[in-house]
Amino acid sequence: MNKHINDNPVLLESYDELITLISNCSDKEFLKEFFGCLFTQGERTDIAERWQIVKELKAGTTQREIARKYNMSLCKITRGSKEIQKPDSAFVKMLDRL
C-alpha cells in the first residue's frame, strides 16, 4: 500500500473524512480524548512543538533563539519558517485566528 496520501485515493478520502469530522466538532475535551487515541504521546508532543515553533516565528523570535529555548535542531524550525513565509500560508491564517 502506497503511504503517500496524495498518491492514494483511499488514504486521501480517509484524511478528508477525518478533517471534516474534526472541523465539525466543538467539544475540546472530546477532541483531546480523540487525539489521545489517534496519536501517540510522541506524535502529540511533535504536533504541539511544531505549533509552538510557528507561534514563536510569527512573534519574531529568531530560529536560533527558538532552537536554544526549546533545545531543538534548526532543521526542525526551518520547515516552519518556510511555511509561514509562503503566500497565503495556512499557518499564518490559523495564527491570525488566535
Side-chain angles (χ1 to χ4, degrees):
M1 185 173 200
N2 192 334
K3 293 289 185 175
H4 297 284
I5 193 167
N6 293 329
D7 298 333
N8 186 317
V10 172
L11 289 181
L12 188 56
E13 181 180 344
S14 183
Y15 182 73
D16 286 344
E17 179 181 72
L18 186 57
I19 294 298
T20 299
L21 288 168
I22 291 169
S23 69
N24 289 330
C25 183
S26 60
D27 185 338
K28 180 180 174 180
E29 291 307 312
F30 174 73
L31 283 174
K32 281 184 177 183
E33 182 181 343
F34 177 69
F35 279 22
C37 295
L38 186 63
F39 302 113
T40 66
Q41 180 63 44
E43 290 166 335
R44 291 190 310 274
T45 299
D46 286 344
I47 290 167
E49 192 173 69
R50 286 180 188 201
W51 185 242
Q52 187 62 37
I53 288 168
V54 296
K55 288 192 312 182
E56 292 275 0
L57 289 166
K58 182 80 163 69
T61 309
T62 68
Q63 291 185 42
R64 291 193 187 281
E65 288 173 311
I66 296 168
R68 247 189 326 274
K69 188 174 182 179
Y70 297 105
N71 192 30
M72 62 179 64
S73 73
L74 287 171
C75 292
K76 188 175 235 180
I77 300 162
T78 298
R79 180 175 183 275
S81 179
K82 287 181 181 179
E83 288 297 323
I84 67 169
Q85 292 174 27
K86 288 181 179 178
D88 293 327
S89 167
F91 272 153
V92 173
K93 288 178 184 178
M94 192 61 86
L95 286 164
D96 288 345
R97 294 180 181 197
L98 287 177

